[in-house]
Amino acid sequence: MRRQVPLILCFVFGVVMMLTQFSPHSFSQGIYEEVLSWALIISPFMLVLGTVTLIQTHVARIRRRTEHWQYSFIIFAGILLMVVIGIPFGPQHPIFVWLFNNVQVPMDATMFSLLAFFIASAAYRAFRARTFEASLLLVTALIVMLGNVPIGDLFWNTVLSGLPWDNGLSDTKQWILDNPNLSARRGIILGVSLGAISQSIRILLGIERSYLGGGD
Amino acid sequence: MEVFGIWVAAFLTLCIYSFLYRDNPFYRFAEYLFVGVSVGYVFVLTTHQGFIPLAWKPFWAAITGESLIGLIKLIPICIGLLFFTRFSTQHQWLVRYPIAILIGAGSGLAIPNVLRANIFEQTRGTIEPFAAIHAGTLSAGEIFGAILMVIGVVCTLTYFFFSIEHRGPIKWVSKVGIAFLMIGFGSAFGNTVMGRVALLIQRVDFLLNDWGGTIF
Amino acid sequence: MLEKLMDIDRRIIFILVVLAVIIPTLLPINLPISVSAPTRQLHDYINALPAGSTIMLAFDYGPASLAELNPMAKALLKQCFDKDVRVIGITLAPEGTAMGSTLIQEIADETGAIDGEDYVFLGYRPGEELVILGMGSDIASVFETDYNGKPLADIPMMTNVTNYDQISLLIDLASGSSTEIWITYANVRYNLQIAAGVTGVIISQMYPYLQTGQLIGLISGIAGAAEYETLLDAPAKGILWINIESFVHLLIAGLVVIGNIAFFVQRRKEE
């Protein structure tokens, strides 16, 4: 009941949905559309899992008085602030939109922009041509970096003006992206997709059960 | 209100940038507030744009007799409600039912579609240029690119093939695969630098022009 | 001397980065921009659409990517409204809702486009591939109303749009894996034409799909946005920021070169 029924449900829903992809018959398409609408209804409830886990984690932090536990109250305040305005009045309420634009947007954008500094620092300290492979990576990165910005081509067209080839840096960047980069990425896509398909088959057949979690 | 919003956004932006000097309470305040506000935002959006239109409205229409066909929607709604058993240690195993249905349906849909999009189409893309070579419609550069692509894809896949030991010719083929991967990662690094720097430029633009505009 | 150079405080590098952004922001320059083939392909595809066609624009990103994707979204919207191409805005990311609705509204105000006739913003639904597949059968089965709560049946531009069959192109503005999901489910199953505008981080992984035609065009990060603005002859943030970006890239390239010179000199000394 606790493990067998979910495994059967997973198998039945999986096989049914897979078969509907091969048959254009109206009966098959009817089942496909109904199951799809069921899944669409179920998926918003998943939100409960993430929110509960986050709240439980921070309640535990406060209880155990771990380092910086006081800041967990700020998380609760943030959630509460958005929920108290957003749930009764909706996401288009001017205060909710104001909070999104002036609190969430600047923090989200700034948080990720910090990486620009750390990339620059890491590029100086750790980006070394120690081996042939590392040199390939480094040279490609430099070409793509300079080929992406107009000053790269300006430099090429000015300093190497004798060459019968304009915009050499951006052209080389494009060639790299179109050829060796494409081959490597395609290899990765093929490998990852084969892995994803075999994992899906293992899930349907009940060989992979980690999604059921621990316990009975 | 608009100017006040710009000042709030500027204050939070500077709080996060203060981390560049070192970790400090201003940064931690912004960091935790960011997590809380983001979770609150997603909660509100998923409720208003997911739960209400997809689950609540059909449910309400069914129980008010507006659309009796909607009664069938009670089944997925009840399955979705099982996510709330996460709150009870005794009944939380019931969470496995909706998860099993979503994962089963997702896997069933993924197998044929991923197979077509990522295996068949990508293999076609690798082989098809040779038909064009045969038809004589490719330039010398394009022929070189097509050959390079096949070499790159085969070598990259060989590098990821762990079922045989990488010795002798396989070792060299996989070494060529590593070279292609390094070029791929180098181009990804060059492009990532562009992305992260763009975020920084946007924040500086905000501080100098929008926030600065309220001061000067 | 060399060791000192190698052990330089990282905060000095941070200051150099800030200066490389601030100085060109205050003293802007305008360098010539060359347009890449994938950007031009998308531009030409939209230009060739007959007036009255409908495209879908997916705002699948959050504020962390707005610097790169907002400029391209604005340029695309301008082109569509100028060409009389109708736009259905949607998002698979909750944060994309507020940004998408604000952006469409902003460009509509600039160009005089009318809500419900030239554009509609449907909003967000959770479930990614389920949403994509659901719209393939019937858009109204997933989005019964637009973001403002107006039933799709009452929206003039949606009267003849039921599913992907009436949509000429889907442009995914993406910062994550959404483009692959659109390709896997909308292109493969429903033959929907797809193009993408993506952040720097995921540009490289889009190229295999470009070569197979699963993507008919690609706008690559802020450089792509600048290229698109150049094609439209409508300079905006994309062009402004890629010029500033030039100096930061030069700085980082310089740091890599200096770091490596110091590394090799030191290694030779040690040998």
Side-chain angles (χ1 to χ4, degrees):
Chain A
M1 188 72 177
R2 293 188 174 198
R3 293 183 81 87
Q4 298 311 320
V5 175
L7 286 174
I8 293 166
L9 281 173
C10 182
F11 177 79
V12 170
F13 274 84
V15 170
V16 166
M17 286 309 260
M18 192 161 57
L19 292 176
T20 61
Q21 302 299 293
F22 297 102
S23 164
H25 192 274
S26 59
F27 177 72
S28 156
Q29 288 312 296
I31 290 178
Y32 163 72
E33 282 168 22
E34 195 55 41
V35 174
L36 210 58
S37 77
W38 279 33
L40 269 167
I41 292 171
I42 297 170
S43 58
F45 288 95
M46 266 209 311
L47 171 75
V48 177
L49 280 187
T51 314
V52 169
T53 309
L54 182 89
I55 291 172
Q56 280 177 342
T57 308
H58 284 275
V59 167
R61 274 172 59 99
I62 292 169
R63 274 206 196 122
R64 289 187 204 130
R65 300 279 193 273
T66 53
E67 200 185 5
H68 305 317
W69 61 274
Q70 300 90 337
Y71 290 96
S72 292
F73 286 112
I74 296 172
I75 289 192
F76 295 139
I79 296 176
L80 210 64
L81 185 68
M82 298 303 268
V83 168
V84 160
I85 296 159
I87 292 294
F89 303 113
Q92 282 169 295
H93 190 273
I95 298 179
F96 189 80
V97 175
W98 187 92
L99 283 169
F100 177 76
N101 286 335
N102 297 301
V103 178
Q104 188 174 343
V105 168
M107 285 195 292
D108 202 350
T110 312
M111 198 67 85
F112 284 87
S113 76
L114 282 178
L115 290 170
F117 294 100
F118 297 118
I119 282 180
S121 173
Y124 179 67
R125 290 157 178 279
F127 210 6
R128 301 277 184 263
R130 284 174 208 275
T131 60
F132 171 69
E133 287 84 2
S135 310
L136 267 181
L137 193 142
L138 190 145
V139 171
T140 310
L142 285 177
I143 293 172
V144 172
M145 237 162 51
L146 294 174
N148 271 334
V149 287
I151 210 163
D153 276 340
L154 183 78
F155 175 80
W156 179 281
N157 296 341
T158 314
V159 178
L160 304 169
S161 56
L163 290 174
W165 181 21
D166 279 347
N167 300 336
L169 264 175
S170 59
D171 283 354
T172 311
K173 174 208 82 175
Q174 200 57 44
W175 185 86
I176 289 171
L177 287 170
D178 281 333
N179 292 282
N181 163 70
L182 186 151
S183 309
R185 291 288 162 183
R186 181 162 285 163
I188 293 172
I189 288 174
L190 287 169
V192 169
S193 302
L194 286 171
I197 291 167
S198 65
Q199 184 74 348
S200 296
I201 294 170
R202 283 166 58 88
I203 287 172
L204 292 190
L205 296 178
I207 301 165
E208 170 61 51
R209 302 175 179 196
S210 56
Y211 68 91
L212 294 176
D216 295 333
Chain B
M1 198 64 177
E2 197 189 331
V3 173
F4 177 61
I6 290 174
W7 275 79
V8 170
F11 169 71
L12 292 169
T13 302
L14 293 173
C15 280
I16 291 172
Y17 279 144
S18 68
F19 182 74
L20 292 170
Y21 181 67
R22 65 167 171 232
D23 194 9
N24 65 76
F26 286 102
Y27 171 74
R28 283 198 293 273
F29 166 78
E31 185 190 21
Y32 282 74
L33 182 66
F34 167 54
V35 175
V37 167
S38 303
V39 172
Y41 180 84
V42 172
F43 190 88
V44 170
L45 257 291
T46 310
T47 305
H48 276 276
Q49 294 273 288
F51 179 75
I52 291 176
L54 295 174
W56 179 254
K57 276 190 179 167
F59 170 72
W60 190 249
I63 60 167
T64 53
E66 233 176 90
S67 151
L68 283 176
I69 192 103
L71 279 175
I72 201 169
K73 304 289 183 206
L74 282 176
I75 302 169
I77 290 170
C78 291
I79 295 169
L81 286 170
L82 291 177
F83 274 114
F84 287 94
T85 58
R86 179 75 173 75
F87 290 109
S88 154
T89 42
Q90 211 183 342
H91 300 104
Q92 64 175 345
W93 58 272
L94 282 164
V95 161
R96 290 171 184 163
Y97 283 50
I99 291 178
I101 291 171
L102 287 179
I103 287 189
S107 300
L109 287 169
I111 293 168
N113 289 306
V114 171
L115 198 67
R116 284 168 66 188
N118 288 350
I119 307 290
F120 296 164
E121 280 295 310
Q122 293 301 314
T123 309
R124 178 184 65 77
T126 312
I127 297 167
E128 208 169 52
F130 288 89
I133 292 174
H134 184 69
T137 54
L138 291 190
S139 67
E142 287 167 332
I143 293 171
F144 175 70
I147 295 167
L148 191 73
M149 182 163 64
V150 172
I151 294 171
V153 172
V154 171
C155 294
T156 307
L157 280 173
T158 308
Y159 172 71
F160 286 118
F161 191 64
F162 299 118
S163 300
I164 48 166
E165 203 177 338
H166 288 197
R167 281 198 306 191
I170 299 292
K171 182 181 160 191
W172 288 104
V173 171
S174 92
K175 267 188 180 284
V176 176
I178 295 174
F180 273 91
L181 281 169
M182 287 300 136
I183 296 174
F185 294 145
S187 63
F189 180 86
N191 285 323
T192 301
V193 169
M194 176 173 74
R196 298 310 179 203
V197 172
L199 295 182
L200 172 63
I201 293 170
Q202 191 267 337
R203 294 321 293 156
V204 172
D205 186 315
F206 165 77
L207 288 173
L208 289 181
N209 295 323
D210 297 353
W211 185 47
T214 67
I215 303 169
F216 305 109
Chain C
M1 171 66 186
L2 207 61
E3 276 170 10
K4 265 190 184 172
L5 193 70
M6 297 277 275
D7 288 333
I8 191 171
D9 190 323
R10 64 182 183 157
R11 281 171 286 205
I12 292 173
I13 295 172
F14 294 168
I15 291 168
L16 290 176
V17 172
V18 170
L19 288 175
V21 177
I22 289 179
I23 295 169
T25 303
L26 295 173
L27 305 165
I29 54 156
N30 206 359
L31 299 172
I33 289 164
S34 57
V35 178
S36 65
T39 311
R40 193 180 291 278
Q41 283 163 16
L42 175 57
H43 172 267
D44 294 351
Y45 189 93
I46 297 176
N47 254 6
L49 289 175
S53 308
T54 306
I55 68 147
M56 204 175 240
L57 188 58
F59 295 85
D60 295 338
Y61 62 96
S65 310
L66 66 85
E68 293 175 274
L69 301 181
N70 274 8
M72 56 177 90
K74 287 180 182 179
L76 285 164
L77 284 167
K78 263 184 200 155
Q79 187 191 14
C80 290
F81 292 151
D82 286 346
K83 289 282 305 170
D84 229 356
V85 170
R86 294 167 181 163
V87 178
I88 301 174
I90 69 148
T91 172
L92 302 176
E95 296 90 347
T97 320
M99 293 199 307
S101 66
T102 314
L103 265 179
I104 291 191
Q105 187 65 55
E106 185 189 323
I107 304 302
D109 290 346
E110 273 177 34
T111 55
I114 301 164
D115 187 7
E117 287 180 22
D118 301 310
Y119 70 93
V120 61
F121 186 71
L122 300 181
Y124 161 75
R125 292 287 182 271
E128 292 191 327
E129 67 267 34
L130 302 170
V131 176
I132 294 170
L133 288 170
M135 287 195 296
S137 305
D138 182 9
I139 294 174
S141 72
V142 185
F143 292 95
E144 210 173 280
T145 66
D146 73 355
Y147 187 49
N148 298 319
K150 197 172 182 183
L152 290 202
D154 298 344
I155 297 171
M157 67 167 274
M158 294 302 287
T159 46
N160 294 321
V161 178
T162 316
N163 53 35
Y164 297 141
D165 291 345
Q166 294 82 38
I167 291 171
S168 308
L169 176 70
L170 173 281
I171 306 172
D172 186 35
L173 299 174
S175 62
S177 58
S178 57
T179 306
E180 279 103 328
I181 300 175
W182 278 106
I183 291 170
T184 304
Y185 294 100
N187 176 258
V188 163
R189 194 176 152 85
Y190 295 103
N191 288 321
L192 178 63
Q193 293 290 309
I194 295 177
V198 299
T199 54
V201 181
I202 53 173
I203 293 169
S204 306
Q205 68 207 53
M206 292 296 125
Y207 274 78
Y209 299 110
L210 259 180
Q211 189 259 346
T212 54
Q214 288 166 289
L215 282 180
I216 58 107
L218 177 72
I219 312 181
S220 305
I222 193 69
E227 291 171 13
Y228 218 88
E229 288 172 6
T230 306
L231 284 170
L232 296 179
D233 197 18
K237 293 286 187 191
I239 290 179
L240 181 72
W241 289 348
I242 199 67
N243 280 302
I244 299 170
E245 183 120 13
S246 289
F247 295 94
V248 189
H249 282 211
L250 267 187
L251 172 71
I252 295 175
L255 287 171
V256 172
V257 172
I258 294 169
N260 274 280
I261 291 171
F263 167 71
F264 281 111
V265 171
Q266 201 175 33
R267 193 160 77 171
R268 189 163 291 177
K269 265 188 187 171
E270 282 168 9
E271 281 168 3

